[in-house]
Amino acid sequence: MAQTGSFRQVSDVSWEIPETYKPGMRVPAKIYATRKLLESMDSGVIEQVTNVACLPGIVRSAYAMADAHWGYGFPIGGVAAFDVEKGVISPGGIGFDINCGMRLIRTNLRYPEVKPKIKELVDLIFRLVPAGVGVKGFLRVSEPQFEEIMKYGVKWCAENGQAWEDDPAHVEEGGYIKGADPSKVSRQARSRGIDQLGTLGSGNHYLEIQVVDPARHFDRELARRFGIVDEDQVMVMVHCGSRGFGHQIGSDYLRVFDGAMKKYGLEVRDRELACAPFASKEGTDYYGAMVCAANMAFTNRQIIVQKVREAFSKVFHRDAEAMDMHLIYDVCHNVAKVENHSYDGTRADLLVHRKGATRSFGPGHPDIPAPYREIGQPVIIGGSMETGSYLLVGTAKAMEDTFGSTAHGSGRTMSRTAAKREVRGAELQKRMLDRGIYVKAATMDGLAEEAGMAYKDISEVVETMDRAGISKKVVALRPVGNIKG
Amino acid sequence: MTFRYLPDVALADIAFEAEADSPEGLFESCAMALTDIMVDPGTLKAKVAREFSLDSGDLDRLLYDFLTELIIAKDVDSLLFKDFSVKIDPGGGALRASAKGEAIDRERHRLRNDVKAVTMHLFGVKREGRLWTATVVLDI
């Protein structure tokens, strides 16, 4: 557990670790946590966030959000912004699962209608959305089409019958990040990714049928702006990323950067923090390839949503349009993007790394789709499959304090190996069914690893971010059906 | 040929430490650990063989590249392996290996985790006397 003796308490939910904490820190590190969350945070977070604070060109502070846990390189739940001219880009600050993210789709169905059919619905989605080790998707694309996907993401989907007209506008960056350069993507990455569109993957990835949970939180006025009006309204949440395509791009460039560090006279405290100047050839090449993976991830989640709409349509015998199955939003939580921010009396373009952290742009920001612009960007925070999730909105304070960033999930407290020692998958599946959550899992081992006890209390994480003012709660969602990769 | 999991490292991922009395044995142990994370090896048969030839410059990077090749084979050709035979050049920078296994069968194989990548967090090969050890954290 974290030793917090030298930390300065900034507020009841934020702490600062000064630059004097370890040699080489260029900026302080800031942690968002209640005292309870801080004291239970694993020591790896402190080590890693202060390592990030040592990276060249970092500005103002390295951040760990309330869901932070020990990752590789950056902590998961980490945010760092770098000067675009003097700073670095680090694959370890993004993660191998480039643009892992969350999608939230609404329906106009109420739980009493869905409850008797939840098993049929979950079983059908499980067949339509492949999950687990080495799965391939149903959508076949040619190599030229795959390059279009790398460049145009959900825009490609909209032009090829794989999206509704208003879907792209409800995805971060309008469905694709500009600057993709497919010429910087290896043959192996293409081979790993081309057959995986529309697949969920494994680990902590899931697809969940959820119900609005007014007992925990329901801001009716804000929720109405997202088309959420009923206490037992049914929603669908998707959590996954760029699959083997992004994983291979991450692996390829980690090797490149590991070799390039010497050339640029760079040293890091963890080899996984290998980095290169953003403005260098290696940095530019990686950014171009990383954007390809980010756009593939947007597409992957889009193809999955099309399958979810198809499943609902089959089970409830009506068009998905008639069930109002519109996308509320799609957020990235493993990515680096160039954004313009004000900080310390200046305004500049910065390369903001978010690894297990969500963009949380406040009201009025031009990058927020028009229907939400005056209330702030939707922020989707996924909890464990037992405890539920939240929809929040971004805030002006996030723009001031964290380069428009907040948490992404509940954050682990227990390793996968330890979780499997605590509970068996089949036992967990039965326990969840008894509590009204029907789970279909690709593997029982994988299910046990994702048990709720392996995670922090999602409500405490969300409450911390809300009290810190860097995102604002809108509605809590509880799971009733779950597909676990 | 042995490996053990490190349950208190990198909570969302899976870390292991492998050891052997030769670099070849070490690579075979690491490959077996990777398989064990993805599938119960007892449910896997050695039906097909795949040859690997890699030149990475040094032993550390060679191990990284070898494990990455096994992950690529899982995604591209749906292959999982259980029997490994590795020959490393005297300089330690290149290898030839053969791996035997079979294509994923969701009915018969007890599948576990879909490994995304080999990270470089804590990654490294060490030699102490006759004992070779490697620490590997895999992204899950």
Side-chain angles (χ1 to χ4, degrees), chain A residues 316-328:
Chain A
F316 295 101
H317 307 294
R318 70 194 91 146
D319 289 342
E321 287 90 344
M323 287 180 279
D324 192 35
M325 293 187 70
H326 287 276
L327 180 57
I328 289 180

Side-chain angles (χ1 to χ4, degrees), chain B:
Chain B
M1 191 169 81
T2 54
F3 62 87
R4 67 183 180 95
Y5 293 114
L6 305 173
D8 300 321
V9 173
L11 300 186
D13 304 303
I14 296 182
F16 68 84
E17 186 177 79
E19 60 181 39
D21 58 8
S22 67
E24 286 83 0
L26 184 69
F27 276 47
E28 289 164 8
S29 292
C30 289
M32 202 57 218
L34 171 64
T35 295
D36 192 63
I37 289 164
M38 297 195 285
V39 63
D40 177 348
T43 65
L44 202 60
K45 293 178 182 169
K47 286 177 162 176
V48 295
R50 172 67 63 91
E51 304 295 320
F52 297 90
S53 179
L54 297 168
D55 188 346
S56 308
D58 63 48
L59 199 61
D60 256 17
R61 291 191 174 96
L62 191 62
L63 178 60
Y64 184 91
D65 290 345
F66 179 50
L67 296 176
T68 299
E69 285 294 322
L70 297 174
I71 294 168
I72 292 172
K74 174 262 298 175
D75 276 346
V76 176
D77 302 314
S78 302
L79 288 173
L80 297 172
F81 302 104
K82 66 179 295 187
D83 291 338
F84 302 94
S85 174
V86 177
K87 299 280 177 223
I88 297 176
D89 284 2
L95 67 70
R96 297 179 71 83
S98 84
K100 291 178 185 166
E102 64 175 324
I104 293 171
D105 179 338
R106 286 175 206 287
E107 298 297 316
R108 192 160 48 79
H109 295 152
R110 186 176 168 196
L111 296 165
R112 292 173 173 162
N113 280 292
D114 199 12
V115 174
K116 294 175 180 170
V118 185
T119 80
M120 285 203 180
H121 181 50
L122 307 176
F123 184 83
V125 175
K126 283 184 194 157
R127 181 184 186 178
E128 281 179 31
R130 293 189 60 188
L131 188 68
W132 292 79
T133 59
T135 305
V136 179
V137 179
L138 298 169
D139 187 11
I140 300 298

Side-chain angles (χ1 to χ4, degrees), chain A residues 253-457:
Chain A
Y253 280 92
L254 183 59
R255 286 281 276 105
V256 170
F257 282 32
D258 190 48
M261 298 277 292
K262 205 178 271 183
K263 175 176 160 187
Y264 295 109
L266 296 169
E267 283 183 25
V268 288
R269 287 178 167 271
D270 175 355
R271 215 168 155 188
E272 184 63 40
L273 283 175
C275 55
F278 181 47
S280 67
K281 181 182 182 322
E282 291 85 354
T284 308
D285 288 356
Y286 171 61
Y287 187 79
M290 187 269 296
V291 170
C292 290
N295 293 340
M296 186 276 191
F298 284 138
T299 308
N300 187 35
R301 291 195 286 274
Q302 178 65 37
I303 304 299
I304 288 172
V305 163
Q306 290 296 95
K307 293 291 181 189
V308 169
R309 287 168 172 160
E310 182 185 327
F312 268 77
S313 189
K314 279 185 180 156
V315 170
F316 295 101
H317 307 294
R318 70 194 91 146
D319 289 342
E321 287 90 344
M323 287 180 279
D324 192 35
M325 293 187 70
H326 287 276
L327 180 57
I328 289 180
Y329 208 52
D330 177 314
V331 296
C332 316
H333 56 222
N334 277 4
V335 80
K337 289 195 286 196
V338 178
E339 297 169 355
N340 192 261
H341 287 279
S342 294
Y343 69 101
D344 302 343
T346 183
R347 184 158 197 94
D349 281 343
L350 299 172
L351 182 68
V352 183
H353 291 61
R354 296 189 183 94
K355 182 183 179 191
T358 312
R359 200 181 74 175
S360 182
F361 282 179
H365 197 286
D367 289 352
I368 301 173
Y372 308 144
R373 196 165 296 148
E374 70 178 65
I375 53 171
Q377 175 197 322
V379 170
I380 304 162
I381 297 198
S384 80
M385 61 188 177
E386 287 190 271
T387 54
S389 302
Y390 280 84
L391 173 66
L392 302 90
V393 283
T395 63
K397 191 158 171 55
M399 304 309 292
E400 292 164 14
D401 289 1
T402 56
F403 301 109
S405 310
T406 188
H408 86 307
S410 49
R412 289 190 80 95
T413 56
M414 190 184 280
S415 72
R416 295 180 175 281
T417 317
K420 272 191 295 197
R421 278 203 303 257
E422 295 291 322
V423 67
R424 288 175 56 245
E427 179 191 330
L428 177 63
Q429 191 177 35
K430 183 178 178 308
R431 189 170 83 196
M432 289 178 67
L433 188 61
D434 291 344
R435 290 176 44 210
I437 310 167
Y438 175 67
V439 186
K440 188 93 176 169
T443 79
M444 283 298 136
D445 284 346
L447 183 67
E449 291 172 14
E450 293 298 318
M453 63 175 180
Y455 284 86
K456 299 177 195 188
D457 176 354

